[in-house]
Amino acid sequence: MKFIQVLTITTLFFVAVSCGNKSGDIEISGKLENAAGKMIYLLEMGSFDITPIDSVKISDKGHFQFDWKIENPRFLVLRETSANQVVLLVQPGEKITITGDLVNLRNNYRVEGSEDSELVRLLNASMQKTINKLDSLSSYYQANLGGTEEEIDSLRTKVRLEFEKIANAQREFTIDFISRNTASLASLMALYQQVDPTTMVLNHEEDFKYYILVDSVLMSIYPDLDYAITLNENVRDMKDAIRARDIGISSLNTGAVAPDIELQSPDGKIIKLSDLRGQYVLLDFWAAWCGPCRHENPYLVDAYEKFNNKGFTIYQVSLDRTREAWLKGIEDDKLGKWHHVSDLKFWNSVVVPLYQIEGIPANFLLDKEGRIIARNLRGLALGAKLAEVLE
């Protein structure tokens, strides 16, 4: 689990590798449009850093070339700027040719002479198309927020279903990619793709078998490969976490009394979850930095307005890092009518292991005795469940 949480998004996508199989000279050359006289850089991706290798000035006709000797496979970056770069997966002895337009190199290039680099291109191209679709969906949502409450509810449902459709399509592509290319180090990138900073394409529990598959194949091919070993350690950590979750999950099963929480409110008062016994309580975990959480908040507001007078309230626990961000999120989303608590410790909050939280938003609906009757009610499902139990 630490491997996933610690690595940056860049590192999750582009992992450098090393092993002791063979060595050889590589040549990376090409011709780029709109590039005359500009500098281009070659870097090696490390686990936690990027190491510059070389730089050249592109000729007046757009030509460039790098020559380098490597001992083993490498993930390299061909970069104009950090926002405009190409990732290559190179093998010793390869002669690679890159062509494209430097104006938008990352989304407009072709690669020859390196099968693994072509796999990387295909993987990233699919991910970029998905991100573009989600950006368009977000713009559509923002542009159509006017209208009645019923119209906005309908819009949210439509957007949520389309989001799930797009994300599931990328998940299916990724699973197929891994199945077809398990022996390629490009499969490491596929395992850790992210739709956004809080949402991975693969769920490390539901899709754990693909982590196991890639781990077993790469370890058999590259038993001394640093990053195959790191993946193996990560998989073992994930197994331990799943095992611990399964042991402790009985305390979070439907019918169990929710573990008590005792944290400070924005005004410094201690509010215990158990203090709210006698009401139906939505225990909700969120953060102001979490986009999907902010998307769910209007549904919480609607549910509170409809059912508060029938014995329903909300106990919202923030995983924010600063008081300022936390309070601004409450104010901006108009959440001030119910109970808020936090220890402002981000993923180090005491509630994370207590409730086995691996992603937010997450919630539990509790009855009047504090027993769990439902969990992870998203969108209109919350109001539907409350209508069922309160009406």
Side-chain angles (χ1 to χ4, degrees):
M1 296 303 295
K2 292 181 180 178
F3 184 69
I4 295 175
Q5 295 173 354
V6 171
L7 294 183
T8 63
I9 293 175
T10 300
T11 307
L12 288 175
F13 270 74
F14 311 129
V15 187
V17 293
S18 62
C19 62
N21 290 344
K22 56 183 179 178
S23 64
D25 295 331
I26 63 167
E27 177 185 298
I28 302 173
S29 62
K31 182 178 181 181
L32 301 175
E33 298 176 12
N34 299 307
K38 295 186 178 180
M39 296 297 297
I40 193 163
Y41 305 87
L42 187 67
L43 307 94
E44 178 185 352
M45 294 298 302
S47 299
F48 304 100
D49 56 9
I50 303 176
T51 304
I53 296 173
D54 199 359
S55 62
V56 298
K57 185 176 182 179
I58 300 173
S59 75
D60 292 342
K61 294 185 178 181
H63 294 284
F64 70 92
Q65 181 170 321
F66 291 100
D67 296 293
W68 193 42
K69 186 178 181 65
I70 62 174
E71 298 296 327
N72 37 61
R74 290 280 198 275
F75 275 95
L76 302 181
V77 178
L78 188 66
R79 169 185 293 182
E80 181 203 15
T81 67
S82 59
N84 191 30
Q85 61 185 27
V86 167
V87 177
L88 306 172
L89 173 50
V90 303
Q91 302 285 343
E94 287 184 334
K95 292 187 176 182
I96 303 168
T97 303
I98 306 294
T99 54
D101 191 332
L102 191 63
V103 172
N104 186 18
L105 183 62
R106 64 180 298 174
N107 296 317
N108 180 24
Y109 77 96
R110 294 170 297 281
V111 57
E112 297 178 0
S114 174
E115 293 183 6
D116 286 324
S117 293
E118 174 62 10
L119 290 177
V120 171
R121 188 192 68 80
L122 292 172
L123 184 65
N124 287 336
S126 175
M127 191 70 250
Q128 188 59 53
K129 287 180 182 178
T130 295
I131 291 173
N132 292 342
K133 289 179 182 178
L134 293 177
D135 287 344
S136 296
L137 183 63
S138 177
S139 298
Y140 171 80
Y141 175 75
Q142 294 296 329
N144 291 275
L145 275 177
T148 65
E149 181 178 341
E150 290 76 13
E151 290 171 335
I152 293 175
D153 281 345
S154 177
L155 173 66
R156 287 175 183 147
T157 300
K158 179 180 179 181
V159 169
R160 177 177 58 81
L161 292 175
E162 185 62 22
F163 178 94
E164 292 174 355
K165 179 181 177 181
I166 295 170
N168 285 336
Q170 181 61 33
R171 176 179 175 272
E172 291 173 3
F173 173 88
T174 301
I175 290 172
D176 182 67
F177 180 93
I178 290 172
S179 300
R180 292 174 179 269
N181 305 288
T182 312
S184 171
L185 298 174
S187 60
L188 283 170
M189 294 172 56
L191 288 175
Y192 296 108
Q193 282 190 316
Q194 293 177 281
V195 174
D196 60 41
T198 63
T199 309
M200 297 186 72
V201 172
L202 297 184
N203 181 293
H204 68 264
E205 289 189 8
E206 294 177 9
D207 300 315
F208 188 47
K209 62 183 178 181
Y210 299 108
Y211 290 83
I212 295 176
L213 173 63
V214 175
D215 171 45
S216 61
V217 172
L218 291 185
M219 282 299 289
S220 67
I221 299 173
Y222 303 110
D224 300 319
L225 181 63
D226 289 352
Y227 283 85
I229 293 172
T230 301
L231 174 64
N232 180 257
E233 293 173 349
N234 183 25
V235 168
R236 285 191 278 113
D237 287 344
M238 293 165 71
K239 285 181 180 178
D240 290 343
I242 291 172
R243 189 178 300 112
R245 189 282 315 268
D246 290 342
I247 293 173
I249 201 67
S250 60
S251 65
L252 300 175
N253 279 341
T254 300
V257 175
D260 205 5
I261 299 173
E262 186 174 349
L263 292 174
Q264 285 190 348
S265 66
D267 59 7
K269 295 181 180 179
I270 298 294
I271 303 178
K272 297 174 65 176
L273 177 62
S274 58
D275 290 341
L276 305 181
R277 298 278 171 82
Q279 302 178 82
Y280 282 85
V281 179
L282 182 72
L283 169 59
D284 183 73
F285 300 96
W286 78 297
W289 50 260
C290 169
C293 301
R294 306 295 291 271
H295 178 73
E296 288 294 320
N297 278 338
Y299 294 103
L300 270 61
V301 173
D302 291 345
Y304 185 86
E305 294 293 338
K306 291 177 182 177
F307 298 102
N308 176 243
N309 63 357
K310 297 182 180 181
F312 169 70
T313 191
I314 299 173
Y315 185 90
Q316 202 165 26
V317 185
S318 167
L319 298 187
D320 277 298
R321 286 169 280 198
T322 68
R323 174 182 169 83
E324 291 74 21
W326 178 31
L327 297 185
K328 188 175 188 304
I330 294 173
E331 180 181 1
D332 289 349
D333 290 1
K334 299 178 175 58
L335 313 179
K337 293 184 178 181
W338 55 74
H339 308 281
H340 292 273
V341 296
S342 180
D343 54 13
L344 298 175
K345 292 183 179 179
F346 194 42
W347 289 107
N348 292 319
S349 172
V350 295
V351 301
V352 171
L354 184 64
Y355 276 86
Q356 305 288 329
I357 300 172
E358 297 178 346
I360 53 176
N363 62 51
F364 297 81
L365 183 61
L366 315 181
D367 67 11
K368 293 182 179 182
E369 288 73 43
R371 298 184 182 279
I372 298 169
I373 58 175
R375 60 191 297 173
N376 290 329
L377 296 167
R378 300 285 184 86
L380 300 176
L382 173 59
K385 185 64 177 181
L386 288 172
E388 174 189 326
V389 300
L390 293 175
E391 295 182 343

